[in-house]
Amino acid sequence: MATNSIAISDRAETTGFSQGAVVVLGRFLFVLIFLMSGPFHFSRQEVAYAVAQGVPWASILVPFSGVLAFAGGLSILLGYRAKLGAWLLVLFLVPVTLMMHKFWAVQDPMMAQMHMAMFMKNVAMLGSALLISQFGAGPFSLDARRSR
């Protein structure tokens, strides 16, 4: 199995311009939500919503989560230490998903459905972040330039 993963990595290094452009577009689309939402974690409304969801130390943890989201997203977008950036997003996504989208505890069926959709969205993003944490940013990244 290790041989297959090496073969995949070797092929990733010999990608053409169009494949590299698709990877850059994928990185951009993946991190857009983190880059756009990160700064909002410094607003009173976000902190108040977290308090209403039962988040302890919300006035500290919500802005901290915004820093994690923004720093991780920027790291992956630029492809600079993208594996570390992906772990920052994992560190952001796990508690946010479990604390903010408790669909199993919501009584209203429509709200439960909405929270379940948000929960599953976060699980999908968590999977993507874990993939990036292992395979890196790919071509057209600062990490790829540094490794040459």
Side-chain angles (χ1 to χ4, degrees), residues 47-126:
V47 172
Y49 182 68
V51 168
Q53 294 296 317
V55 174
W57 309 304
S59 61
I60 296 167
L61 292 177
V62 172
F64 179 69
S65 70
V67 170
L68 287 175
F70 193 81
L74 191 60
S75 170
I76 291 171
L77 177 64
L78 299 174
Y80 178 72
R81 298 187 185 238
K83 290 181 177 184
L84 175 62
W87 282 114
L88 292 177
L89 293 183
V90 168
L91 188 62
F92 166 80
L93 283 166
V94 170
V96 166
T97 302
L98 294 173
M99 296 189 81
M100 302 300 288
H101 302 299
K102 298 181 265 192
F103 65 91
W104 56 89
V106 177
Q107 299 301 317
D108 177 31
M110 290 187 79
M111 288 301 290
Q113 190 72 23
M114 185 194 76
H115 277 285
M116 184 175 173
M118 299 294 279
F119 183 92
M120 295 309 295
K121 170 200 55 104
N122 283 13
V123 168
M125 291 189 307
L126 179 59

